[in-house]
Amino acid sequence: MMRRYIKLYFLLAGAYVRSRLQYRLSFGLMCFGIVVSEACLLGLLGALLAKFRTVNGWTWAEVVFLYGLGNVAHSFMRILGSQLDDFDRYIIRGELDGVLIRPVPPLFYLLASRVELIHVSRALTSVAIFVVAFHLTDLRWTLSVALFTFTTILSGGVIMFTLMLISATVALWTTKSGKLTDLLVAATKEAAIFPISIYPLAVRLLLTFILPVAFVTYYPAQQLLQKGEFLGMPESFQFGAPVVALVMVCASYLLWCSGLRRYHSTGS
Amino acid sequence: MPIITVEHLSKHFKVYKRRTGFWGNLSSTFSREHDIIKAVDNVNFTLERGELVGYIGANGAGKSTTIKMLTGILVPTSGHIDVMGLMPYRHRKENTRRIGVVFGQRTQLWWDLPVIDSFELLKHIYEIPQNLYKQNLEFFSELLQLQPFLSTPVRRLSLGQRMRCDLTAALLHNPEILYLDEPTIGLDVVAKEQVRQFLRQVNAERQVTVILTTHDLNDVEKVCQRLIIIDSGKIIYNGAIDALKKRYGKTRLLIVDLAQAYSDIQLEGVDLTRRDGNRIWLAFDRDTTSASEVIAQLTARYEIQDLTISEPEIEEIVRRIYELGMH
Ligand SMILES: Nc1ncnc2c1ncn2[C@@H]1O[C@H](COP(=O)(O)OP(=O)(O)OP(=O)(O)O)[C@@H](O)[C@H]1O
Ligand SMILES: [Mg+2]
């Protein structure tokens, strides 16, 4: 069963990649663009921090570490969730019709049949940044650090993915969610880059309980960097990422299922 | 025991009103003002195993909506569908394994990949055993002459070639029912004939139950045994094609080219059904009115250039039903 789905995932994703590779030049240009834009962003961040030295008691290395952590989770989630990028257009064109006539769970089929290689190039860049950031801090690789980092990235990716899925699912009700998704993707990524202690209380609560991106970077980083900043939240939040991820998976899947029942297809 | 049973099936769409202009747009985003479109409205019918049924109706009559509910794509607003003992949208996965679907308007093949790649992918999606897959692929590529373009990307196929591939794709996993939504749309006469022939053969040799929608009545006449006509979401005819002809074929049609476009045309015992410039279409009942009476009336009042009498074709009968409804 599991093997069937893994095989099917690679077959469908492979079919998409092969389709895309028919247009090699545009793909090459996009990859180049991503590497350049990531480098610029990081350069900007570096320049800013070099000037101010610390942000709310966070050193330059620590902020880059946070940025790397969030970015790795985010970019892997983008690879797997490529289909959600412009999901509303997909729905408006009635293309879910073709998915719903296949004997495969629709969400699986959808996600498998689009894997943007552009996001892969983004992911590689982000891993490189993260590894550098890791060494800039005083952290050293031990088994427990590696395990914790891995779990954090995995949970973080899942949390960001479910947020994106939820906003895309809204398209099944409104038939448009593009702007909402874009906004959410941008906001979660940006919010994860900086220590949330720089935001006012209301925003911190929002990022903890409503759009729980604080669990992608900030709280887990407390454990890794031993900052001991909990801003009045329970200390156990530093281990909360997997739990939050699990809750988000359940919530977003239920929403997706009820959204599917509302799918209207198109009139022609 | 019917293979498909549809009872009191309805699908209503809420269509939110949209206003124009910035403020209109803004306010319609928040208001819940809407119209209800009854795309399918209390529909009942059954299909027996092995039947070949034509499902026709004017644009917007509700054909595609019905097909989408039968295939499990749309959830009905109310009513009941039983397909081989399954409820299509609830038992979606089991249902899809046993049906094949072709949308004439939209290919289900991988657009940028060679045709054969789509077939290979479907083999894995439907878990078709290798020997069955090979056997079916051989059978269909022979029957539909797919060989020459099996390794051509789908986007480079002609419409006719693409349709043949789509038909194959829908049948590779040996479905028991084949749903076709406008399978002949946009095809030329030869390609249409090929599709028809193919459907007859698949139905006869593989006992596949077929339901197809179309706007080409020749499809129905040459392929189907039974006809279901839907109009504004309601079924207005369900029965053999011959019976329809017998019942409504009493009307003959006289097509007349007048010397000029008379503004007011008055004739007894005759319906003016259509008018296009100087040409008029007159329908009359063969039992009560003779053709010579009509022609006599015409020539007495108007100057005519040419005329032809046509016996009722299925096309004409259905056109009249679309326009005037059933009587
Ligand atoms: N997703 C939708 N949202 C709103 N209205 C819809 C939707 N789908 C169909 N309709 C409406 O329902 C009615 C029936 O549409 P349907 O597509 O079933 O017609 P059809 O018989 O297939 O027509 P055609 O011959 O043009 O394909 C139409 O009035 C159409 O506008
Ligand atoms: Mg239609």
Side-chain angles (χ1 to χ4, degrees):
Chain A
M1 186 68 178
M2 197 62 192
R3 272 190 46 198
R4 158 166 152 78
Y5 282 117
I6 292 172
K7 189 170 169 198
L8 210 50
Y9 187 89
F10 281 103
L11 283 167
L12 290 169
Y16 181 79
V17 170
R18 270 185 296 139
S19 302
R20 294 296 294 172
L21 287 181
Q22 309 248 326
Y23 310 96
R24 254 178 222 130
L25 183 67
S26 75
F27 169 69
L29 285 176
M30 289 275 257
C31 287
F32 182 69
I34 291 217
V35 173
V36 170
S37 77
E38 286 292 315
C40 290
L41 228 158
L42 201 69
L44 190 71
L45 197 69
L48 276 174
L49 284 160
K51 195 145 188 227
F52 298 106
R53 293 286 157 206
T54 58
V55 176
N56 265 26
W58 286 61
T59 65
W60 187 74
E62 285 168 342
V63 174
V64 177
F65 178 79
L66 216 56
Y67 173 85
L69 200 61
N71 219 15
V72 171
H74 179 260
S75 56
F76 276 99
M77 158 310 257
R78 288 299 286 274
I79 299 176
L80 297 179
S82 298
Q83 189 67 265
L84 303 176
D85 284 359
D86 40 16
F87 195 60
D88 54 330
R89 254 194 289 153
Y90 198 89
I91 288 180
I92 289 168
R93 280 189 264 128
E95 293 194 18
L96 227 44
D97 290 9
V99 174
L100 291 171
I101 59 169
R102 301 293 181 218
V104 177
L107 188 58
F108 169 82
Y109 190 93
L110 273 168
L111 297 177
S113 39
R114 184 167 167 198
V115 171
E116 292 291 359
L117 286 180
I118 295 158
H119 295 322
V120 177
S121 82
R122 194 201 300 274
L124 293 179
T125 329
S126 67
V127 170
I129 293 171
F130 178 69
V131 171
V132 171
F134 192 91
H135 287 282
L136 287 177
T137 61
D138 294 331
L139 278 168
R140 287 298 158 255
W141 287 113
T142 63
L143 185 65
S144 63
V145 167
L147 270 177
F148 189 83
T149 308
F150 179 75
T151 320
T152 299
I153 290 174
L154 192 72
S155 315
V158 169
I159 291 170
M160 286 176 151
F161 175 84
T162 53
L163 282 174
M164 207 152 123
L165 178 61
I166 288 170
S167 70
T169 305
V170 173
L172 286 160
W173 277 271
T174 61
T175 65
K176 49 184 160 188
S177 78
K179 279 163 209 126
L180 184 64
T181 310
D182 289 350
L183 198 75
L184 212 65
V185 169
T188 50
K189 194 182 157 204
E190 301 317 318
I193 293 174
F194 288 105
I196 61 165
S197 54
I198 65 169
Y199 300 117
L201 179 66
V203 177
R204 293 198 313 245
L205 290 175
L206 179 81
L207 296 178
T208 302
F209 296 107
I210 313 288
L211 306 169
V213 284
F215 287 97
V216 179
T217 52
Y218 186 77
Y219 293 124
Q222 298 309 317
Q223 161 66 20
L224 284 168
L225 303 174
Q226 296 295 329
K227 302 282 296 179
E229 271 182 30
F230 289 98
L231 313 168
M233 305 289 177
E235 287 194 19
S236 56
F237 273 19
Q238 59 189 312
F239 304 109
V243 180
V244 173
L246 198 68
V247 171
M248 292 293 288
V249 165
C250 297
S252 62
Y253 188 69
L254 286 177
L255 190 74
W256 164 259
C257 290
S258 75
L260 260 197
R261 292 178 52 91
R262 306 247 338 177
Y263 175 58
H264 276 171
S265 185
T266 50
S268 64
Chain B
M1 180 61 187
I3 191 165
I4 298 179
T5 308
V6 172
E7 281 168 346
H8 306 296
L9 181 66
S10 296
K11 180 72 192 179
H12 298 176
F13 290 109
K14 264 187 202 163
V15 179
Y16 291 97
K17 286 186 186 146
R18 238 167 248 238
R19 299 200 200 95
T20 49
F22 176 75
W23 288 112
N25 230 323
L26 196 70
S27 68
S28 59
T29 309
F30 296 104
S31 82
R32 309 299 290 165
E33 245 187 295
H34 61 259
D35 289 327
I36 300 261
I37 293 183
K38 296 183 177 177
V40 171
D41 191 11
N42 194 15
V43 155
N44 298 278
F45 62 81
T46 58
L47 251 72
E48 294 298 329
R49 199 172 273 276
E51 266 196 299
L52 233 165
V53 174
Y55 194 56
I56 65 167
N59 285 129
K63 303 180 295 294
S64 301
T65 306
T66 312
I67 298 284
K68 283 175 192 165
M69 285 192 282
L70 288 173
T71 50
I73 294 170
L74 290 179
V75 180
T77 305
S78 63
H80 189 71
I81 306 174
D82 181 309
V83 178
M84 299 174 285
L86 302 170
M87 278 166 88
Y89 74 92
R90 186 160 298 167
H91 311 119
R92 215 184 45 77
K93 231 163 101 184
E94 288 158 87
N95 181 57
T96 52
R97 278 186 192 280
R98 300 171 65 181
I99 64 168
V101 189
V102 174
F103 297 111
Q105 315 248 27
R106 190 182 295 144
T107 181
Q108 299 304 322
L109 305 168
W110 277 256
W111 190 244
D112 287 311
L113 297 184
V115 175
I116 188 74
D117 289 21
S118 290
F119 295 161
E120 285 282 335
L121 283 164
L122 290 171
K123 178 180 88 179
H124 292 286
I125 290 171
Y126 286 93
E127 296 176 283
I128 309 169
Q130 180 64 24
N131 54 350
L132 178 69
Y133 169 75
K134 264 186 75 181
Q135 207 177 309
N136 277 349
L137 189 59
E138 250 163 54
F139 178 83
F140 291 118
S141 44
E142 165 109 21
L143 202 59
L144 292 167
Q145 293 136 34
L146 307 180
Q147 240 358 290
F149 46 85
L150 273 182
S151 48
T152 310
V154 175
R155 70 177 131 84
R156 275 201 250 133
L157 298 181
S158 77
L159 207 54
Q161 292 170 334
R162 207 205 75 200
M163 186 49 66
R164 275 138 70 194
C165 295
D166 260 310
L167 284 168
T168 304
L171 287 164
L172 278 176
H173 58 287
N174 279 1
E176 294 161 67
I177 306 174
L178 181 60
Y179 298 96
L180 305 154
D181 195 0
E182 305 197 31
T184 57
I185 190 168
L187 302 189
D188 69 31
V189 188
V190 179
K192 274 186 181 174
E193 198 44 58
Q194 203 175 11
V195 169
R196 289 171 192 152
Q197 160 92 34
F198 174 76
L199 292 179
R200 280 195 301 260
Q201 197 165 345
V202 163
N203 173 253
E205 287 179 16
R206 311 192 140 221
Q207 284 79 48
V208 179
T209 309
V210 181
I211 177 162
L212 68 90
T213 80
T214 182
H215 287 293
D216 185 339
L217 275 304
N218 289 316
D219 291 348
V220 176
E221 196 152 33
K222 293 187 178 161
V223 175
C224 302
Q225 300 128 2
R226 182 148 70 96
L227 184 64
I228 298 177
I229 306 180
I230 182 169
D231 183 43
S232 308
K234 290 187 158 65
I235 288 190
I236 54 173
Y237 183 80
N238 179 355
I241 296 170
D242 293 341
L244 185 74
K245 276 190 178 169
K246 232 174 247 151
R247 196 158 141 211
Y248 297 95
K250 285 189 306 192
T251 317
R252 300 166 94 185
L253 198 68
L254 189 65
I255 305 165
V256 186
D257 285 330
L258 298 166
Q260 62 184 91
Y262 294 95
S263 58
D264 186 32
I265 289 165
Q266 296 272 330
L267 294 162
E268 276 115 56
V270 177
D271 279 336
L272 176 65
T273 59
R274 205 169 138 203
R275 174 166 202 165
D276 183 9
N278 288 0
R279 178 170 286 192
I280 55 172
W281 281 257
L282 302 169
F284 57 95
D285 191 329
R286 77 159 90 234
D287 296 343
T288 58
T289 318
S290 74
S292 60
E293 274 171 37
V294 179
I295 296 169
Q297 273 193 65
L298 261 171
T299 45
R301 295 181 202 180
Y302 312 104
E303 196 179 329
I304 60 177
Q305 283 184 333
D306 195 10
L307 54 80
T308 36
I309 295 181
S310 80
E311 292 302 323
E313 286 288 313
I314 183 81
E315 178 103 30
E316 181 57 26
I317 295 171
V318 169
R319 200 181 60 75
R320 281 176 57 86
I321 293 173
Y322 287 178
E323 278 175 6
L324 309 170
M326 301 286 284
H327 307 295

